[in-house]
Amino acid sequence: MWQLMAFLLFITATLLCGILKGMESIEGNCNDVIRLPCRATDLTNKYRYSMWYKIITDKKRTAIIKHKSGDITHYNNYNNSASLGEKETLELQRINLNHSGVYVCYLAADIGGQNFESFIGLNFSECMYSSTFQPPTVTDVFCPAVSEFSVSWALLGFFLIGLTKIILCIITVGVCDRVIFRRILRKTGSKWSRDKKGNKVEMEKMRFTRS
Protein backbone atom coordinates (compact mmCIF):
# COMPACT_ATOMS: atom_id res chain seq x y z
CA MET A 1 0.00 0.00 0.00
CA TRP A 2 2.81 2.40 0.87
CA GLN A 3 4.37 1.77 -2.54
CA LEU A 4 1.14 2.97 -4.17
CA MET A 5 1.04 6.09 -1.98
CA ALA A 6 4.67 6.85 -2.74
CA PHE A 7 4.04 6.46 -6.45
CA LEU A 8 1.01 8.79 -6.33
CA LEU A 9 3.05 11.41 -4.47
CA PHE A 10 5.76 11.06 -7.10
CA ILE A 11 3.20 11.54 -9.89
CA THR A 12 1.81 14.62 -8.12
CA ALA A 13 5.27 16.14 -7.84
CA THR A 14 5.94 15.37 -11.50
CA LEU A 15 2.72 17.06 -12.65
CA LEU A 16 3.48 20.07 -10.44
CA CYS A 17 6.94 20.33 -12.00
CA GLY A 18 5.36 20.18 -15.46
CA ILE A 19 3.15 23.11 -14.53
CA LEU A 20 6.06 25.09 -13.07
CA LYS A 21 8.31 24.54 -16.07
CA GLY A 22 5.65 25.76 -18.47
CA MET A 23 4.45 28.74 -16.44
CA GLU A 24 5.27 32.41 -16.89
CA SER A 25 8.28 33.71 -14.99
CA ILE A 26 9.41 37.27 -14.25
CA GLU A 27 12.98 38.46 -13.65
CA GLY A 28 13.59 40.99 -10.91
CA ASN A 29 16.40 42.98 -9.27
CA CYS A 30 16.84 43.72 -5.61
CA ASN A 31 14.86 46.72 -4.30
CA ASP A 32 12.73 46.83 -7.45
CA VAL A 33 8.96 47.09 -7.54
CA ILE A 34 7.66 43.88 -9.15
CA ARG A 35 4.17 43.43 -10.58
CA LEU A 36 2.91 39.87 -10.88
CA PRO A 37 -0.21 39.63 -13.11
CA CYS A 38 -3.10 37.40 -12.09
CA ARG A 39 -3.76 35.37 -15.26
CA ALA A 40 -6.79 33.78 -13.62
CA THR A 41 -8.71 37.00 -14.28
CA ASP A 42 -8.41 36.20 -18.00
CA LEU A 43 -10.63 33.17 -17.35
CA THR A 44 -13.37 34.85 -15.33
CA ASN A 45 -14.43 38.22 -13.95
CA LYS A 46 -16.94 36.84 -11.45
CA TYR A 47 -15.56 35.76 -8.09
CA ARG A 48 -16.21 36.35 -4.39
CA TYR A 49 -12.65 37.24 -3.49
CA SER A 50 -9.08 37.01 -4.72
CA MET A 51 -6.13 35.69 -2.76
CA TRP A 52 -2.41 35.65 -3.41
CA TYR A 53 -0.17 32.92 -2.01
CA LYS A 54 3.48 32.01 -2.19
CA ILE A 55 4.29 28.30 -2.53
CA ILE A 56 6.63 27.03 0.17
CA THR A 57 6.38 23.30 -0.60
CA ASP A 58 4.04 21.16 -2.72
CA LYS A 59 1.69 20.99 0.31
CA LYS A 60 2.23 24.38 1.97
CA ARG A 61 1.30 27.89 0.85
CA THR A 62 1.86 31.20 2.61
CA ALA A 63 -0.97 33.76 2.35
CA ILE A 64 0.07 37.24 1.21
CA ILE A 65 -2.96 39.42 0.52
CA LYS A 66 -6.74 39.05 0.15
CA HIS A 67 -9.24 41.27 -1.66
CA LYS A 68 -12.93 40.84 -0.81
CA SER A 69 -15.75 43.34 -1.34
CA GLY A 70 -13.30 46.23 -1.54
CA ASP A 71 -11.50 45.28 1.68
CA ILE A 72 -7.79 44.41 1.63
CA THR A 73 -6.31 42.02 4.21
CA HIS A 74 -2.55 41.44 4.55
CA TYR A 75 -0.93 38.33 5.98
CA ASN A 76 2.49 37.25 7.27
CA ASN A 77 4.07 40.73 7.57
CA TYR A 78 3.32 41.78 3.98
CA ASN A 79 1.58 44.97 5.16
CA ASN A 80 4.23 47.36 3.84
CA SER A 81 5.50 45.37 0.88
CA ALA A 82 2.41 44.00 -0.92
CA SER A 83 -0.52 45.72 -2.63
CA LEU A 84 -2.99 45.01 -5.43
CA GLY A 85 -3.27 46.75 -8.76
CA GLU A 86 -5.56 46.43 -11.76
CA LYS A 87 -7.05 42.97 -12.36
CA GLU A 88 -5.72 41.73 -9.00
CA THR A 89 -2.07 42.28 -10.02
CA LEU A 90 0.25 41.70 -7.07
CA GLU A 91 2.73 44.53 -6.48
CA LEU A 92 5.75 43.75 -4.31
CA GLN A 93 7.89 46.60 -2.95
CA ARG A 94 11.63 46.46 -2.24
CA ILE A 95 12.02 42.84 -3.24
CA ASN A 96 15.01 40.72 -2.23
CA LEU A 97 16.17 37.13 -2.63
CA ASN A 98 13.59 35.94 -0.09
CA HIS A 99 10.85 36.93 -2.53
CA SER A 100 12.12 34.50 -5.17
CA GLY A 101 9.77 31.59 -5.80
CA VAL A 102 6.33 30.63 -7.14
CA TYR A 103 3.22 32.73 -6.54
CA VAL A 104 -0.42 31.72 -6.91
CA CYS A 105 -3.37 33.97 -7.69
CA TYR A 106 -6.55 32.27 -6.46
CA LEU A 107 -10.07 33.40 -7.39
CA ALA A 108 -12.84 32.00 -5.19
CA ALA A 109 -16.12 31.53 -7.05
CA ASP A 110 -19.65 31.72 -5.68
CA ILE A 111 -21.10 28.57 -4.16
CA GLY A 112 -21.55 26.00 -6.91
CA GLY A 113 -19.17 27.82 -9.25
CA GLN A 114 -15.65 26.99 -10.34
CA ASN A 115 -12.57 28.38 -8.63
CA PHE A 116 -9.63 29.52 -10.73
CA GLU A 117 -5.95 29.98 -10.02
CA SER A 118 -2.82 30.87 -11.95
CA PHE A 119 0.88 30.39 -11.23
CA ILE A 120 3.75 32.77 -11.86
CA GLY A 121 7.42 32.58 -10.93
CA LEU A 122 9.75 35.31 -9.66
CA ASN A 123 13.47 34.92 -10.33
CA PHE A 124 16.39 37.32 -9.82
CA SER A 125 18.79 38.42 -12.53
CA GLU A 126 20.79 40.88 -10.42
CA CYS A 127 21.27 41.34 -6.71
CA MET A 128 23.90 42.02 -4.08
CA TYR A 129 25.20 38.49 -3.58
CA SER A 130 28.57 36.85 -3.86
CA SER A 131 29.81 35.95 -7.33
CA THR A 132 30.16 32.36 -6.15
CA PHE A 133 26.50 32.20 -5.13
CA GLN A 134 23.65 32.06 -7.61
CA PRO A 135 20.04 32.12 -6.40
CA PRO A 136 18.17 28.91 -7.30
CA THR A 137 15.56 29.03 -10.01
CA VAL A 138 11.93 28.03 -9.47
CA THR A 139 12.33 24.58 -11.03
CA ASP A 140 15.58 23.94 -9.12
CA VAL A 141 13.76 24.40 -5.82
CA PHE A 142 10.60 22.41 -6.57
CA CYS A 143 11.81 19.85 -9.14
CA PRO A 144 15.23 18.56 -8.09
CA ALA A 145 14.72 14.85 -8.73
CA VAL A 146 11.96 14.40 -11.28
CA SER A 147 13.08 16.59 -14.15
CA GLU A 148 13.76 13.59 -16.39
CA PHE A 149 10.50 11.79 -15.60
CA SER A 150 8.44 11.60 -18.79
CA VAL A 151 4.68 11.98 -19.16
CA SER A 152 4.46 8.60 -20.90
CA TRP A 153 5.78 6.87 -17.78
CA ALA A 154 3.25 8.74 -15.67
CA LEU A 155 0.39 7.58 -17.91
CA LEU A 156 1.74 4.01 -17.80
CA GLY A 157 1.76 4.18 -14.01
CA PHE A 158 -1.89 5.30 -13.88
CA PHE A 159 -2.82 2.49 -16.31
CA LEU A 160 -1.09 -0.14 -14.15
CA ILE A 161 -2.78 1.15 -11.00
CA GLY A 162 -6.19 0.97 -12.70
CA LEU A 163 -5.49 -2.53 -14.02
CA THR A 164 -4.44 -3.69 -10.56
CA LYS A 165 -7.68 -2.37 -9.04
CA ILE A 166 -9.76 -4.21 -11.69
CA ILE A 167 -7.95 -7.50 -11.00
CA LEU A 168 -8.42 -7.11 -7.24
CA CYS A 169 -12.14 -6.42 -7.75
CA ILE A 170 -12.53 -9.58 -9.88
CA ILE A 171 -10.74 -11.71 -7.27
CA THR A 172 -12.84 -10.22 -4.47
CA VAL A 173 -16.10 -10.87 -6.30
CA GLY A 174 -15.04 -14.47 -7.04
CA VAL A 175 -14.17 -15.16 -3.41
CA CYS A 176 -17.42 -13.64 -2.16
CA ASP A 177 -19.40 -15.68 -4.68
CA ARG A 178 -17.85 -18.95 -3.47
CA VAL A 179 -18.40 -18.08 0.18
CA ILE A 180 -22.06 -17.20 -0.41
CA PHE A 181 -22.58 -20.35 -2.50
CA ARG A 182 -21.19 -22.57 0.26
CA ARG A 183 -23.44 -20.92 2.84
CA ILE A 184 -26.46 -21.64 0.65
CA LEU A 185 -25.45 -25.30 0.38
CA ARG A 186 -25.14 -25.58 4.13
CA LYS A 187 -28.57 -24.06 4.71
CA THR A 188 -30.49 -26.03 2.05
CA GLY A 189 -28.51 -29.27 2.12
CA SER A 190 -28.32 -29.23 -1.69
CA LYS A 191 -25.79 -31.21 -3.67
CA TRP A 192 -24.63 -29.76 -6.94
CA SER A 193 -22.89 -31.04 -9.99
CA ARG A 194 -21.93 -29.61 -13.37
CA ASP A 195 -23.15 -30.55 -16.85
CA LYS A 196 -20.95 -30.79 -19.97
CA LYS A 197 -21.11 -27.02 -20.47
CA GLY A 198 -19.89 -26.33 -16.96
CA ASN A 199 -23.22 -25.06 -15.64
CA LYS A 200 -24.23 -25.84 -12.04
CA VAL A 201 -27.04 -28.44 -11.84
CA GLU A 202 -28.88 -29.46 -8.69
CA MET A 203 -28.76 -33.29 -8.38
CA GLU A 204 -30.75 -33.79 -5.25
CA LYS A 205 -32.05 -31.85 -2.37
CA MET A 206 -31.84 -33.19 1.15
CA ARG A 207 -33.71 -31.85 4.11
CA PHE A 208 -32.12 -32.00 7.48
CA THR A 209 -34.30 -32.98 10.39
CA ARG A 210 -33.61 -32.08 13.92
CA SER A 211 -33.36 -34.95 16.34
Side-chain angles (χ1 to χ4, degrees), residues 55-112:
I55 295 181
I56 305 302
T57 66
D58 59 342
K59 293 184 178 181
K60 183 178 179 181
R61 298 180 176 185
T62 296
I64 298 175
I65 190 170
K66 179 180 180 180
H67 179 203
K68 182 178 181 180
S69 301
D71 296 328
I72 301 294
T73 305
H74 293 84
Y75 301 89
N76 298 302
N77 299 319
Y78 278 94
N79 300 56
N80 299 322
S81 60
S83 60
L84 290 178
E86 186 179 359
K87 290 187 175 182
E88 312 299 340
T89 297
L90 176 64
E91 297 183 359
L92 296 175
Q93 309 284 335
R94 300 181 299 278
I95 63 172
N96 54 54
L97 291 177
N98 293 327
H99 290 95
S100 179
V102 180
Y103 292 80
V104 183
C105 179
Y106 175 81
L107 302 181
D110 294 329
I111 297 176

Side-chain angles (χ1 to χ4, degrees), residues 129-183:
Y129 51 80
S130 171
S131 59
T132 59
F133 170 77
Q134 294 293 332
T137 64
V138 170
T139 53
D140 290 337
V141 174
F142 293 95
C143 313
V146 296
S147 58
E148 300 299 326
F149 192 81
S150 65
V151 176
S152 59
W153 280 104
L155 294 176
L156 177 61
F158 281 119
F159 172 76
L160 293 177
I161 293 174
L163 182 61
T164 302
K165 289 182 178 180
I166 292 175
I167 294 174
L168 291 176
C169 288
I170 294 175
I171 294 174
T172 303
V173 171
V175 172
C176 292
D177 181 66
R178 300 189 83 179
V179 171
I180 294 174
F181 180 68
R182 288 179 181 176
R183 288 182 179 178

Side-chain angles (χ1 to χ4, degrees), residues 30-43:
C30 277
N31 297 317
D32 279 354
V33 176
I34 292 295
R35 293 174 177 83
L36 303 179
C38 177
R39 300 304 184 193
T41 56
D42 297 336
L43 303 175

